[in-house]
Amino acid sequence: MNKKFQTFFFVAGLGIFSFLVFHFGIGKIFSNIKETSWWFVPIVGVWGLAYVFNAFSWSAIINKKANGLSFAEIYAITVSGFAINYITPVMNLGGEPYRIMMLKNKIGLNKAVSATISYTMIHFLSHFFFWISAIILISVFLPLSYELKIIFGIVFVVLVAAILFFISRHKNGIVESLLSLLAKLPMMKKASEKIAGKMNFKDIDIGITEFYKKRKFDFILAITWDYLARIIAAMEFYFILYAIGIHITILEAVYISAATSLITNILFFMPMELGTREGGTSVIMDSLHFASGIGIYISVIYRIREFFWILIGLILIKINKNTIPEID
């Protein structure tokens, strides 16, 4: 990867990270860590494990053995990519260019783009499956009002449609059709032509479709790994509440995780979901008949955990800058 780009990702990320930390309040961070006590260790640690499963998912797509990549490299890029996503407004996809630039040195630009887009689509698919499974479990085991049943029913139908759309894109490709759409927009025509001159979008689409058609087992495995990562990450809420003496079931932890995730993804344009996560978590906790203040506490600890892993991701960007050779 061009070290200028890597330096840019590191410096820009560190600047945004510093702003968010100071805006949040350093004193607030330390006081809440103190209140959570040693439970903060499993709260942070469970995401380290979740990222392992995310990296397993990406490894299934990349075929790391054939491309000379170690799992440690994939894990480091995974953590850094998610760290950049956390602090990127609008769609939270800022980490994708970083992933591409890091992979480009090892497998070439077209394959790097194909592998990154494939993982992003898999990540979305696992999200949709996670939400659907949560809706099914909640409908069976938790009492719901008539209004909530209607809302969940509508969301269920939308999610099924989204899954079918993403699977169709895995079958038929997405990059060429997306570029054609962009080329029709007056303000994007020149940009799309410039991008097309640097990459072979047909090859990129072939990489995406062949992963689905010729490596079906790896496709299913990638979704499974990423789905399991979400289940593991949901345990964060179990530990956060346990720290203040509130015992919930694993099902309730999954519900809190899925519902919070759904709300923050609907309001995708906020960096680190500023404000939306706090409000959404309070609403969700109220639906479980907990005091809304508990939702605020959960959001604060959740935010501090994000700060921790953003910092780790930025450190890994700096380490990778010094260890992965640059190829011109």
Side-chain angles (χ1 to χ4, degrees), residues 293-315:
I294 294 174
I296 300 299
Y297 170 75
I298 290 175
S299 299
V300 169
I301 299 303
Y302 189 102
R303 190 72 68 203
I304 295 170
R305 186 272 300 161
E306 283 185 328
F307 288 146
F308 176 87
W309 280 106
I310 289 170
L311 182 59
I312 295 298
L314 294 175
I315 291 171

Side-chain angles (χ1 to χ4, degrees), residues 23 115 226 237 281 292:
H23 178 76
D226 212 70
F237 295 98
T281 307
S292 59

Side-chain angles (χ1 to χ4, degrees), residues 179 191-201:
L179 188 67
S192 62
E193 289 175 353
K194 187 176 180 181
I195 294 171
K198 294 183 178 181
M199 289 178 277
N200 188 324
F201 286 95

Side-chain angles (χ1 to χ4, degrees), residues 126-246:
S126 73
H127 227 147
F128 300 150
F129 282 119
F130 179 59
W131 288 334
I132 283 179
S133 59
I135 288 172
I136 292 171
L137 289 171
I138 290 161
S139 300
V140 172
F141 294 105
L142 296 180
L144 297 174
S145 65
Y146 180 73
E147 291 80 6
L148 274 177
K149 287 180 180 178
I150 293 175
I151 292 171
F152 278 132
I154 294 171
V155 172
F156 183 89
V157 172
V158 171
L159 289 174
V160 170
I163 288 172
L164 294 175
F165 170 77
F166 273 89
I167 290 177
S168 73
R169 293 302 90 200
H170 272 289
K171 288 180 180 179
N172 304 309
I174 189 172
V175 179
E176 278 194 298
S177 58
L178 181 60
L179 188 67
S180 296
L181 178 63
L182 290 175
K184 294 177 182 178
L185 302 175
M187 296 181 65
M188 297 298 295
K189 186 175 181 180
K190 288 186 178 179
S192 62
E193 289 175 353
K194 187 176 180 181
I195 294 171
K198 294 183 178 181
M199 289 178 277
N200 188 324
F201 286 95
K202 186 175 182 179
D203 284 349
I204 293 170
D205 268 340
I206 288 172
I208 293 170
T209 57
E210 284 188 347
F211 175 60
Y212 177 82
K213 293 176 180 178
K214 297 183 179 180
R215 299 171 56 204
K216 191 65 67 71
F217 176 78
D218 287 336
F219 177 81
I220 295 171
L221 189 63
I223 294 177
T224 302
W225 283 128
D226 212 70
Y227 177 86
L228 290 174
R230 298 186 185 281
I231 299 296
I232 291 168
M235 293 302 296
E236 170 185 30
F237 295 98
Y238 182 88
F239 292 134
I240 290 174
L241 289 170
Y242 211 98
I244 55 175
I246 297 175

Side-chain angles (χ1 to χ4, degrees), residues 75-122:
Y75 183 79
I77 298 170
T78 296
V79 174
S80 296
F82 279 121
I84 297 170
N85 283 346
Y86 280 136
I87 57 180
T88 306
V90 186
M91 294 299 287
N92 303 119
L93 294 175
E96 272 48 49
Y98 174 78
R99 293 171 188 261
I100 291 168
M101 296 302 291
M102 291 300 292
L103 277 186
K104 182 183 74 170
N105 292 340
K106 291 283 187 176
I107 64 177
L109 181 59
N110 290 335
K111 286 184 178 179
V113 174
S114 178
T116 301
I117 292 175
S118 291
Y119 177 69
T120 301
M121 293 168 70
I122 289 289

Side-chain angles (χ1 to χ4, degrees), residues 25-54:
I26 295 177
K28 189 177 180 181
I29 290 173
F30 282 106
S31 65
N32 278 276
I33 291 175
K34 185 178 179 180
E35 183 179 352
T36 308
S37 187
W38 71 272
W39 281 103
F40 192 70
V41 175
I43 291 168
V44 168
V46 76
W47 271 89
L49 181 59
Y51 286 138
V52 168
F53 281 72
N54 290 137

